[in-house]
Amino acid sequence: MRLKLPSTCLILEIILMILFGTLVQYDHETDAKEWHEHLHNGSSNGHNDFYYRYPSFQDVHVMIFIGFGFLMTFLQRYGFSSVGFNFLIAAFSLQWATLMQGFFHGMHGGKIHIGVESMINADFCTGSVLISFGAVLGKTSPVQLLVMALFEVTLFAVNEFVLLTALGAKDAGGSMTIHTFGAYFGLVVTRVLYRPNLEKSKHKNCSVYHSDLFAMIGTIYLWMFWPSFNSAITAHGDDQHRTALNTYYSLAACTLSSYALSSLTAHDGKLDMVHIQNAALAGGVAAGTAGEMMLTPVGSMIVGFLAGIISVLGFKYLSPILESKLKIQDTCGVHNLHGMPGVLGAIVGAVTAAVATDDVYGEGMEDVFPQIANGDFTASVQGVRQAISLAVTLGIALLGGLIVGFILKLPIYGAPSDAICYEDSIYWEMPGEEPHHDNQLTAVRTEEGEKLNG
Amino acid sequence: MRLKLPSTCLILEIILMILFGTLVQYDHETDAKEWHEHLHNGSSNGHNDFYYRYPSFQDVHVMIFIGFGFLMTFLQRYGFSSVGFNFLIAAFSLQWATLMQGFFHGMHGGKIHIGVESMINADFCTGSVLISFGAVLGKTSPVQLLVMALFEVTLFAVNEFVLLTALGAKDAGGSMTIHTFGAYFGLVVTRVLYRPNLEKSKHKNCSVYHSDLFAMIGTIYLWMFWPSFNSAITAHGDDQHRTALNTYYSLAACTLSSYALSSLTAHDGKLDMVHIQNAALAGGVAAGTAGEMMLTPVGSMIVGFLAGIISVLGFKYLSPILESKLKIQDTCGVHNLHGMPGVLGAIVGAVTAAVATDDVYGEGMEDVFPQIANGDFTASVQGVRQAISLAVTLGIALLGGLIVGFILKLPIYGAPSDAICYEDSIYWEMPGEEPHHDNQLTAVRTEEGEKLNG
Amino acid sequence: MRLKLPSTCLILEIILMILFGTLVQYDHETDAKEWHEHLHNGSSNGHNDFYYRYPSFQDVHVMIFIGFGFLMTFLQRYGFSSVGFNFLIAAFSLQWATLMQGFFHGMHGGKIHIGVESMINADFCTGSVLISFGAVLGKTSPVQLLVMALFEVTLFAVNEFVLLTALGAKDAGGSMTIHTFGAYFGLVVTRVLYRPNLEKSKHKNCSVYHSDLFAMIGTIYLWMFWPSFNSAITAHGDDQHRTALNTYYSLAACTLSSYALSSLTAHDGKLDMVHIQNAALAGGVAAGTAGEMMLTPVGSMIVGFLAGIISVLGFKYLSPILESKLKIQDTCGVHNLHGMPGVLGAIVGAVTAAVATDDVYGEGMEDVFPQIANGDFTASVQGVRQAISLAVTLGIALLGGLIVGFILKLPIYGAPSDAICYEDSIYWEMPGEEPHHDNQLTAVRTEEGEKLNG
């Protein structure tokens, strides 16, 4: 760690700066000269996309840095790393994503043009990396995470290009591109990095009271801002409005089914914080593709309702099997929050697309399904292409995860040994014990004494 | 709990889905076809109400889920339930409120039309339920809370209809409809549910150091976003702008008077976290009705200043009397934060309305007091109707709370016994104790050793 | 404390209300009559500045109250005071700043006109006071802090007037006016208040595990919303858009260099939370002046990259020297987060201004450098005036801090003695110890029992 982390960070950032210097420019809405030429030609400042997208961008930004960061603080002694490595790899990924996504859909005359929409897309791509981080949480060094991000962002951009440009699929909230991709990529990586003796760290792979409360900060922020996430890059007007509304009701329904299933599947009817922290969010994931479509309010609620059920059942019954039979050690249960609900969202999207009619969409078809509006596809073809997109995503995620997993297995990144996983103290200068020593010593001594006597 | 909570959640959600399926539609701004017909007729995407209201909606959303949720985490062992039940009943209430409010003021051709404004209103109604939750916090099971929400949302919608539609009152930030209603409803409910032996749980009805810091997250978010709350559904333009500004200064003045009174009323001059967490917010409550009016900046400050004083005095002197004499066990002191400041806000609103003149409002009278502008009412009549609205709100809240209190008293909801109130462990799987014993003891022992040696 | 704090708060608030009552009015966008006259003359509600600036305002507001407030909770037993005094002095400062800034640039016919832009400016000025608060954190009573705020806000407004109006400098994100001013003012104050025996409280001047996590809430919120901070009052259109984008990339690059340097400068390669909590933000400070200019994306990244390096090096090597040689006890290290990065930002701004050309800015020159566009200045003159502005800021901050430091040294404010610095319990009613002993022991005993039996 002494030199590996600093040199990795510095080299990556210097490469980023060189590439930005040679390739990246302001787009026509952020460039002083170009925007004022637009104004000259009759536009107005109020039409700058900043005012349509920046509030959504900020909500997405909160989800990436606070939402993901704090969601993972549930581990008792891995809070610094959860928030801190989330911060580091997100800060790297958003820069690298700007370049990778720019190569595929932001080039203008040999230059990548950037503005608020590319910022949102960069944050989206970062979200995918953070989902994979959830699968390997506690078992990887920061250098491994940066290397994983380097490759995953690249593959994300390839997959996104195939889906959105080559296949003409729609996936505004990223059920496929972000959630399914990030989850299955991460699951394969953690499979390749399988640690047979991980039970040595088992006593640290759990929460304590306040760490669960910190994690709830992450959960609630993700939940609240998911309507902004799914609607951040949909078309202006009814599309952004409808996507936010669909996601709002999907999440609300998901919350009730998550609580119901959490209590129902417990032997004593008690709620499990793991389910509440995660499954209640599955409704946002599952509305990621169809959210911009005319899913109807009740359709959104049904999707969320099912997503919550699937997610809790996954935590309860599937995760233990994945770990024991398939040797997939999925720290945060990303398969249950992002994997299965992402697949559900992709299927719902394919079906909803396949039944799109002019009668329902009117002239709005142009925004949601331009190829159907243009007569390039029928609705059925759009639906089939959505389904193919899911298959492509799974393929690239699984294959990519396999290769990257083996790259990450090289013994050069300072990965922690099995006995010191889920532990901040190997990466961070640790502060003193809590609470304040004078009080503490008395308290602990008393406890010891009473234990001996009691 | 084994089956009651799951079956309640599932049955409620299924009923919601059936009702949404038969009754709820996108409004003309979220529906693809209808919005594009608007565009066709000369509107533009930038005029979609999404861009005027969605940022405010998200701020309100944060207040409901983070603000209320974390404000109530001050109890030492009730953090999971505070955030978690807040989450559950809010997710239910916002769906149910969509229907109830829709019946009263969103019907179009037999269907309820929804969009960002109905989402804000649903969140507002949810806020009222959460205020009542504060009064009964720690003493009710989640099933009781869901049943309370079911009835309270219904009564909220009735009261709101009487005030805004039948009486023509103005109450954009809900001093009456949200705060006064929610507080007095909850106070009567907690009165009916009076527990004579609650002192058995008294040692848990208090905070610890970190639980107070978590609660400050809730406080500060409520404080910061209150300008958005009060302005979220006022008319576009100067109205939203002015309401936000009035609330900003009301809160700032309230903060200073809260700190002053908290220190002044303590025997040793020390500040009390309970006052800071709650009384400093009273300025937002008290600006809920008059905030959209031409209250003037100094008027707003005076209102906030008084609200802070009233609130601290309530916590210090009135709450103990309410508990000992009237048997009202008000866990969060909602009477001091929402009850009295809500009544103050209603009175300020009535007076401000009564003195409205064309000279001050100009053509803006149409937005704030359409009936005065139309000549239907004089300003005095508007003021009287505002005052009647307060009386109606108190009446419906008290009577409704009485009936719902008795419904909640039925011994079928699994309410906790007097000795295990304010305790998460009866509803939640609890994580291990904190900090982790093995590390902790070792660490402290080592430190002790070093101190002795050092 | 018994009477000093209440009387100070009440007297200040009453003075504020009197001054607001005589001097402050709604501006033409918040006043009902005036705005509707605008509408009458062809404007539309969508052009109200509320819709251009209010989302940015709310982000800035979060930075001031959550960002600064929680950033300072890193101290183990000073969390109540960090968040609570931050809350108090910010609520006072924003009101006082409305008046002071209004005197200098908001007067219309003898009245101060206010609206969303003045609210943002008031929050900005408050930010400067909170930076100074960081330097004296733990060593000053709340009365001292209010007196400091009273003078600092006044001097801030003078300095801002000299820079922006008299010198024609640009400083939208406040590298000079906010950060450099606040930091050096606070450093001189803490120098004057030097406590030779502060090591008596040394054991409390450090963090514990959860206090560092609370501090990360502050850090991440500051980091996320800094693009809104720097762009909140730039011109509409490309300017706001570009400033947000520049700040986003500056911060991302800064994060990587901060992590690299933190690990590199540690003897064992471990990361230091102090660096992550602070240095990773320096990129936002350093982009405060040039952020609105055509800095280019790579230019922003270089600035952020350097800011992170400077900041970590400052924490590691300069702060100990400042303390031992210059007797500057800088609790939060504001010199490293705000001081040096602020100066860097000012220099970058001067250089970027000096090389501005019509070829790059086009008609957008009018927004960024109106005096260059008008032909009043050449670009070089603008650059020189920017540099002079830095010198003026340093001069006013140092001289002002000196005077105010001596005012604060008067023994009338109830400052804590050297042995009880960094301690909440002298100002706050303290809750019980955590975790609650009775429960704890019972819980542990039960677990033990069950283990034995199970």
Side-chain angles (χ1 to χ4, degrees):
Chain A
M1 179 116 160
R2 183 71 182 84
L3 281 177
K4 279 174 187 166
L5 180 60
S7 55
T8 308
C9 288
L10 292 176
I11 291 167
L12 286 175
E13 190 58 44
I14 289 165
I15 292 171
L16 284 169
M17 292 193 288
I18 293 168
L19 291 173
F20 264 71
T22 49
L23 288 169
V24 178
Q25 287 181 344
Y26 297 125
D27 71 8
H28 69 281
E29 296 195 318
T30 39
D31 186 90
K33 188 177 185 180
E34 288 189 48
W35 178 252
H36 280 263
E37 284 167 8
H38 262 68
L39 290 182
H40 212 74
N41 297 330
S43 189
S44 81
N45 280 323
H47 290 113
N48 195 297
D49 212 23
F50 182 79
Y51 303 105
Y52 291 86
R53 303 231 182 262
Y54 187 73
S56 307
F57 160 72
Q58 275 296 1
D59 292 350
V60 171
H61 217 39
V62 172
M63 292 173 73
I64 296 298
F65 287 88
I66 287 282
F68 281 104
F70 277 87
L71 182 60
M72 296 190 277
T73 58
F74 71 97
L75 291 172
Q76 55 176 300
R77 292 304 276 188
Y78 208 64
F80 289 9
S81 303
S82 295
V83 175
F85 296 162
N86 186 84
F87 188 18
L88 173 64
I89 61 175
F92 165 69
S93 297
L94 65 86
Q95 296 177 79
W96 184 235
T98 304
L99 292 168
M100 288 297 112
Q101 295 180 315
F103 284 132
F104 286 109
H105 51 79
M107 297 296 279
H108 296 81
K111 297 285 184 181
I112 293 166
H113 284 199
I114 60 174
V116 69
E117 197 166 328
S118 72
M119 287 158 69
I120 295 171
N121 277 316
D123 268 36
F124 275 4
C125 177
T126 299
S128 191
V129 176
L130 299 178
I131 291 166
S132 304
F133 177 34
V136 300
L137 186 76
K139 300 171 296 179
T140 40
S141 74
V143 177
Q144 270 178 309
L145 293 171
L146 286 167
V147 173
M148 184 180 83
L150 184 73
F151 289 106
E152 185 171 357
V153 164
T154 311
L155 290 166
F156 176 98
V158 171
N159 183 56
E160 188 185 41
F161 175 75
V162 172
L163 264 59
L164 306 189
T165 307
L167 285 168
K170 298 292 285 189
D171 193 24
S175 289
M176 294 182 283
T177 54
I178 302 167
H179 299 288
T180 304
F181 180 82
Y184 287 97
F185 184 95
L187 289 167
V188 177
V189 167
T190 198
R191 172 64 191 84
V192 176
L193 299 179
Y194 178 65
R195 289 166 176 268
N197 300 313
L198 192 57
E199 79 277 7
K200 286 182 187 172
S201 296
K202 201 175 185 74
H203 61 293
K204 282 183 226 144
N205 184 8
C206 57
S207 63
V208 290
Y209 194 70
H210 279 165
S211 72
D212 267 327
L213 273 181
F214 278 111
M216 280 303 283
I217 297 175
T219 296
I220 301 282
Y221 270 103
L222 288 169
W223 196 91
M224 293 186 302
F225 289 162
W226 219 297
S228 302
F229 190 93
N230 284 347
S231 67
I233 55 159
T234 58
H236 294 164
D238 61 299
D239 306 84
Q240 283 197 280
H241 200 156
R242 183 172 58 249
T243 311
L245 185 144
N246 285 338
T247 310
Y248 175 80
Y249 286 106
S250 177
L251 284 161
C254 179
T255 302
L256 268 86
S257 65
S258 298
Y259 273 78
L261 269 282
S262 182
S263 175
L264 194 64
T265 57
H267 69 91
D268 54 2
K270 288 186 183 177
L271 295 162
D272 189 332
M273 263 288 164
V274 173
H275 304 157
I276 305 312
Q277 283 161 5
N278 291 279
L281 298 168
V285 174
T289 303
E292 67 176 319
M293 305 176 191
M294 289 289 287
L295 183 57
T296 75
V298 68
S300 308
M301 289 161 78
I302 293 169
V303 170
F305 187 76
L306 294 176
I309 292 172
I310 290 172
S311 189
V312 174
L313 295 178
F315 274 104
K316 194 80 190 180
Y317 303 111
L318 191 55
S319 283
I321 295 174
L322 291 183
E323 179 149 0
S324 60
K325 304 289 179 195
L326 298 184
K327 301 183 177 175
I328 296 172
Q329 295 159 326
D330 175 8
T331 312
C332 293
V334 301
H335 187 244
N336 311 306
L337 169 49
H338 301 279
M340 292 189 296
V343 171
L344 172 65
I347 294 168
V348 171
V351 172
T352 313
V355 300
T357 61
D358 278 328
D359 195 45
V360 169
Y361 288 82
E363 293 184 14
M365 186 70 88
E366 177 66 38
D367 284 348
V368 186
F369 299 115
Q371 286 99 337
I372 300 180
N374 299 344
D376 293 348
F377 300 167
T378 61
S380 313
V381 169
Q382 181 78 39
V384 170
R385 281 169 175 254
Q386 298 285 136
I388 293 170
S389 295
L390 173 60
V392 168
T393 300
L394 287 168
I396 294 179
L398 295 173
L399 190 63
L402 194 70
I403 296 166
V404 175
F406 279 105
I407 294 171
L408 296 179
K409 214 172 177 175
L410 297 174
I412 55 173
Y413 307 109
S417 74
D418 291 347
I420 51 166
C421 287
Y422 315 116
E423 176 59 52
D424 276 336
S425 64
I426 52 174
Y427 305 115
W428 299 87
E429 305 282 352
M430 296 302 285
E433 286 300 322
E434 170 181 11
H436 188 63
H437 301 301
D438 303 344
N439 298 334
Q440 178 63 16
L441 286 173
T442 323
V444 174
R445 273 183 195 146
T446 313
E447 273 177 54
E448 279 187 81
E450 288 184 358
K451 268 181 200 164
L452 292 171
N453 300 333
Chain B
M1 178 115 160
R2 182 72 182 83
L3 281 177
K4 278 173 187 166
L5 179 60
S7 53
T8 308
C9 288
L10 291 176
I11 290 166
L12 288 175
E13 190 58 43
I14 288 167
I15 292 170
L16 285 168
M17 291 193 289
I18 292 169
L19 292 173
F20 265 70
T22 49
L23 287 169
V24 178
Q25 287 182 343
Y26 296 125
D27 71 8
H28 69 282
E29 296 194 319
T30 40
D31 185 273
K33 189 177 184 179
E34 288 188 48
W35 177 252
H36 280 264
E37 284 168 8
H38 262 69
L39 290 182
H40 212 75
N41 297 331
S43 188
S44 81
N45 280 323
H47 290 113
N48 194 296
D49 211 25
F50 182 78
Y51 302 105
Y52 291 85
R53 303 230 181 261
Y54 188 72
S56 307
F57 161 72
Q58 275 295 2
D59 292 350
V60 171
H61 216 40
V62 172
M63 294 174 71
I64 297 299
F65 287 88
I66 287 283
F68 281 105
F70 277 88
L71 182 60
M72 295 190 277
T73 59
F74 72 97
L75 291 172
Q76 55 176 302
R77 294 302 277 187
Y78 208 64
F80 289 8
S81 303
S82 296
V83 175
F85 296 161
N86 186 85
F87 189 16
L88 173 65
I89 61 176
F92 165 69
S93 297
L94 65 85
Q95 297 177 77
W96 184 236
T98 304
L99 291 168
M100 288 298 111
Q101 295 179 314
F103 284 131
F104 286 109
H105 51 78
M107 298 297 279
H108 297 81
K111 297 285 185 179
I112 294 167
H113 284 199
I114 61 174
V116 69
E117 197 167 327
S118 71
M119 288 158 69
I120 295 171
N121 278 316
D123 268 36
F124 275 4
C125 177
T126 299
S128 190
V129 176
L130 299 177
I131 292 165
S132 303
F133 177 35
V136 298
L137 187 75
K139 300 172 295 179
T140 39
S141 72
V143 176
Q144 271 179 308
L145 294 170
L146 286 168
V147 173
M148 184 180 82
L150 183 74
F151 289 107
E152 185 171 357
V153 164
T154 311
L155 290 166
F156 177 98
V158 171
N159 184 56
E160 189 185 41
F161 175 76
V162 173
L163 264 60
L164 306 190
T165 307
L167 286 168
K170 298 291 286 188
D171 194 24
S175 289
M176 294 182 282
T177 55
I178 301 168
H179 300 287
T180 304
F181 180 82
Y184 288 96
F185 183 95
L187 290 167
V188 177
V189 168
T190 199
R191 172 64 191 82
V192 176
L193 299 179
Y194 177 66
R195 290 166 176 269
N197 299 313
L198 192 58
E199 80 277 7
K200 287 182 187 172
S201 296
K202 200 172 186 76
H203 61 293
K204 282 181 226 144
N205 185 8
C206 58
S207 63
V208 290
Y209 193 70
H210 279 165
S211 71
D212 267 327
L213 272 181
F214 277 111
M216 281 302 284
I217 297 175
T219 297
I220 302 281
Y221 270 102
L222 288 168
W223 195 91
M224 292 186 304
F225 289 161
W226 218 297
S228 302
F229 189 94
N230 285 348
S231 67
I233 53 159
T234 58
H236 294 164
D238 62 298
D239 305 83
Q240 283 197 278
H241 201 157
R242 182 172 60 249
T243 311
L245 186 144
N246 285 338
T247 310
Y248 175 80
Y249 287 106
S250 176
L251 285 161
C254 179
T255 302
L256 268 86
S257 65
S258 298
Y259 273 80
L261 269 281
S262 180
S263 175
L264 194 64
T265 58
H267 68 93
D268 54 2
K270 289 187 184 177
L271 295 162
D272 188 332
M273 261 289 163
V274 172
H275 304 156
I276 306 311
Q277 284 160 4
N278 291 279
L281 299 168
V285 174
T289 303
E292 67 176 321
M293 304 174 190
M294 289 290 288
L295 183 58
T296 76
V298 69
S300 308
M301 289 161 78
I302 293 169
V303 170
F305 187 76
L306 294 176
I309 292 172
I310 289 172
S311 190
V312 174
L313 294 178
F315 275 104
K316 195 80 190 178
Y317 303 111
L318 191 55
S319 283
I321 295 174
L322 291 183
E323 179 150 358
S324 60
K325 304 287 179 198
L326 298 185
K327 300 184 177 175
I328 296 172
Q329 294 159 327
D330 176 8
T331 312
C332 293
V334 301
H335 188 243
N336 311 305
L337 169 49
H338 301 279
M340 292 188 296
V343 172
L344 172 66
I347 295 168
V348 171
V351 172
T352 313
V355 300
T357 62
D358 279 328
D359 196 45
V360 170
Y361 287 82
E363 294 184 14
M365 185 70 89
E366 176 66 37
D367 285 347
V368 185
F369 299 114
Q371 286 98 337
I372 301 180
N374 298 345
D376 294 346
F377 301 167
T378 62
S380 313
V381 168
Q382 181 79 40
V384 170
R385 281 169 176 254
Q386 298 285 138
I388 293 170
S389 296
L390 173 59
V392 169
T393 300
L394 288 169
I396 295 180
L398 295 175
L399 189 64
L402 193 70
I403 296 166
V404 175
F406 279 105
I407 294 171
L408 296 179
K409 216 173 175 174
L410 299 174
I412 56 172
Y413 308 109
S417 73
D418 292 346
I420 50 167
C421 287
Y422 316 115
E423 176 59 52
D424 275 337
S425 64
I426 52 174
Y427 306 115
W428 299 86
E429 305 282 352
M430 296 302 285
E433 287 300 322
E434 173 183 4
H436 189 64
H437 300 302
D438 303 343
N439 295 337
Q440 176 65 10
L441 288 172
T442 323
V444 173
R445 274 181 195 149
T446 313
E447 275 177 50
E448 280 189 79
E450 286 182 1
K451 271 182 199 163
L452 291 170
N453 300 332
Chain C
M1 178 116 160
R2 182 72 182 83
L3 281 177
K4 279 174 187 166
L5 179 60
S7 54
T8 309
C9 289
L10 291 176
I11 291 166
L12 287 175
E13 189 60 44
I14 288 166
I15 292 170
L16 284 169
M17 291 193 289
I18 292 167
L19 291 172
F20 264 70
T22 48
L23 288 169
V24 178
Q25 287 182 343
Y26 296 125
D27 71 7
H28 69 281
E29 295 194 320
T30 39
D31 185 90
K33 189 177 184 180
E34 288 189 49
W35 178 252
H36 280 263
E37 284 166 9
H38 262 68
L39 290 182
H40 212 75
N41 297 331
S43 188
S44 81
N45 279 323
H47 290 114
N48 194 296
D49 212 24
F50 182 78
Y51 302 104
Y52 292 85
R53 303 230 183 260
Y54 187 74
S56 307
F57 160 73
Q58 274 295 1
D59 292 350
V60 172
H61 216 40
V62 172
M63 293 174 72
I64 296 299
F65 287 88
I66 287 283
F68 281 104
F70 277 88
L71 182 60
M72 295 190 278
T73 59
F74 71 98
L75 291 172
Q76 54 176 302
R77 293 303 275 187
Y78 208 63
F80 289 8
S81 303
S82 296
V83 175
F85 297 161
N86 187 84
F87 189 19
L88 174 64
I89 61 176
F92 165 68
S93 297
L94 65 87
Q95 297 176 77
W96 183 236
T98 303
L99 292 167
M100 288 298 112
Q101 295 179 315
F103 284 131
F104 286 109
H105 50 78
M107 297 296 280
H108 296 81
K111 297 286 184 179
I112 294 167
H113 284 199
I114 61 174
V116 69
E117 198 167 327
S118 72
M119 287 158 68
I120 295 171
N121 277 317
D123 267 36
F124 275 3
C125 177
T126 299
S128 192
V129 175
L130 299 178
I131 292 167
S132 303
F133 176 34
V136 299
L137 186 75
K139 301 172 294 179
T140 39
S141 73
V143 176
Q144 270 179 308
L145 294 171
L146 286 167
V147 173
M148 183 180 83
L150 184 73
F151 289 107
E152 185 171 358
V153 164
T154 311
L155 290 166
F156 176 98
V158 171
N159 184 55
E160 189 185 42
F161 175 77
V162 173
L163 265 59
L164 305 190
T165 307
L167 285 167
K170 298 291 285 188
D171 194 24
S175 289
M176 294 181 283
T177 53
I178 302 168
H179 299 288
T180 305
F181 180 82
Y184 288 96
F185 183 95
L187 290 167
V188 178
V189 168
T190 198
R191 172 65 191 84
V192 176
L193 299 179
Y194 178 66
R195 288 165 176 269
N197 299 313
L198 192 57
E199 78 278 8
K200 287 183 187 172
S201 297
K202 201 174 185 73
H203 60 292
K204 281 182 226 145
N205 185 7
C206 58
S207 64
V208 290
Y209 194 70
H210 279 164
S211 71
D212 267 327
L213 272 181
F214 278 111
M216 280 302 284
I217 297 175
T219 297
I220 301 281
Y221 270 102
L222 288 168
W223 196 91
M224 293 187 302
F225 288 162
W226 219 297
S228 302
F229 189 94
N230 284 347
S231 67
I233 54 159
T234 59
H236 294 164
D238 62 298
D239 306 82
Q240 283 197 278
H241 201 157
R242 183 172 59 249
T243 311
L245 186 145
N246 285 338
T247 309
Y248 175 80
Y249 286 107
S250 177
L251 284 162
C254 179
T255 303
L256 268 86
S257 66
S258 297
Y259 273 80
L261 269 282
S262 181
S263 174
L264 194 63
T265 58
H267 67 94
D268 53 1
K270 289 187 185 178
L271 296 161
D272 188 333
M273 261 290 163
V274 172
H275 304 157
I276 305 311
Q277 283 160 5
N278 291 279
L281 298 169
V285 174
T289 303
E292 68 176 318
M293 304 174 189
M294 289 290 287
L295 184 56
T296 76
V298 69
S300 308
M301 289 161 78
I302 292 168
V303 170
F305 187 76
L306 294 176
I309 292 172
I310 290 171
S311 189
V312 174
L313 294 178
F315 274 105
K316 194 80 191 179
Y317 304 111
L318 192 55
S319 282
I321 295 172
L322 291 182
E323 179 149 0
S324 60
K325 304 289 178 196
L326 299 184
K327 301 184 177 175
I328 295 172
Q329 295 160 326
D330 177 8
T331 312
C332 293
V334 302
H335 188 241
N336 310 305
L337 169 48
H338 302 280
M340 292 189 296
V343 172
L344 173 66
I347 295 167
V348 171
V351 172
T352 312
V355 300
T357 62
D358 279 329
D359 196 45
V360 169
Y361 288 82
E363 295 184 12
M365 187 69 89
E366 176 65 38
D367 285 347
V368 185
F369 298 115
Q371 286 99 336
I372 301 180
N374 299 344
D376 293 347
F377 300 167
T378 63
S380 313
V381 169
Q382 180 79 38
V384 170
R385 282 171 175 253
Q386 298 285 137
I388 293 170
S389 295
L390 173 60
V392 169
T393 300
L394 287 168
I396 295 180
L398 296 173
L399 191 64
L402 195 69
I403 297 166
V404 174
F406 280 104
I407 294 171
L408 296 179
K409 215 173 177 172
L410 299 174
I412 57 172
Y413 309 109
S417 73
D418 292 347
I420 50 165
C421 287
Y422 316 116
E423 177 59 52
D424 276 336
S425 63
I426 53 174
Y427 306 116
W428 300 86
E429 305 282 352
M430 295 302 284
E433 284 302 320
E434 173 182 8
H436 190 62
H437 301 301
D438 303 342
N439 295 339
Q440 175 67 9
L441 289 173
T442 322
V444 174
R445 274 181 195 149
T446 313
E447 272 177 53
E448 283 188 77
E450 286 182 359
K451 271 181 201 162
L452 292 170
N453 300 333

